[in-house]
Amino acid sequence: MKLDKALLLATTIGVVSLVARVSPASAEQWYFWIKNDADTKIQKLLVSENRQQWGYFDIGAGIDPGETTKLVWNESTNNQGCNQWIKAEFSDNSESQPAKINFCKDLDEPIVFQN
């Protein structure tokens, strides 16, 4: 699979559909892990290419404290850049610091969020 075909985050208006807590991904699906290292639930994951317009992942009911979750990219994001900013919004309405991540590859080490 070419790097320019890597599955990436959508940062435009609207919801990016992802499948959270999925069965093993096929070779055509790119994935990443999220670890909630905070005291409160992650209720949203927000992403942006420019740190000005933020889209978000559908993570269902959220990610509980201490939980590590595997997420799979939606192929509708294939035309976006590799480097994206990602941050978490917690159930107490606080946000993590944004982290710049290269999403043109599977990420086996979790992205860890703290509030």
Side-chain angles (χ1 to χ4, degrees):
M1 179 179 271
K2 296 179 184 177
L3 273 184
D4 63 343
K5 287 290 195 170
L7 298 173
L8 303 169
L9 302 172
T11 57
T12 55
I13 299 172
V15 176
V16 176
S17 297
L18 286 181
V19 179
R21 299 171 191 91
V22 295
S23 60
S26 73
E28 295 299 314
Q29 294 176 309
W30 291 62
Y31 63 86
F32 65 104
W33 295 88
I34 296 293
K35 181 177 181 188
N36 183 354
D37 205 21
D39 297 333
T40 59
K41 180 184 276 192
I42 295 174
Q43 62 185 15
K44 287 183 186 175
L45 289 176
L46 300 128
V47 295
S48 176
E49 285 186 288
N50 60 17
R51 291 181 76 171
Q52 295 174 3
Q53 293 179 312
W54 293 87
Y56 67 94
F57 288 102
D58 178 359
I59 58 170
I63 303 170
D64 289 325
E67 183 178 2
T68 300
T69 299
K70 183 178 184 178
L71 300 174
V72 177
W73 298 119
N74 182 309
E75 65 186 44
S76 68
T77 63
N78 284 359
N79 295 324
Q80 302 227 339
C82 292
N83 294 308
Q84 301 272 340
W85 292 92
I86 185 167
K87 64 182 177 178
E89 182 179 296
F90 298 95
S91 58
D92 64 0
N93 294 320
S94 66
E95 290 184 353
S96 69
Q97 291 294 318
K100 192 171 189 178
I101 306 293
N102 178 349
F103 287 105
C104 284
K105 59 185 176 181
D106 289 330
L107 299 174
D108 290 319
E109 293 296 318
I111 302 168
V112 179
F113 288 105
Q114 300 174 331
N115 58 350

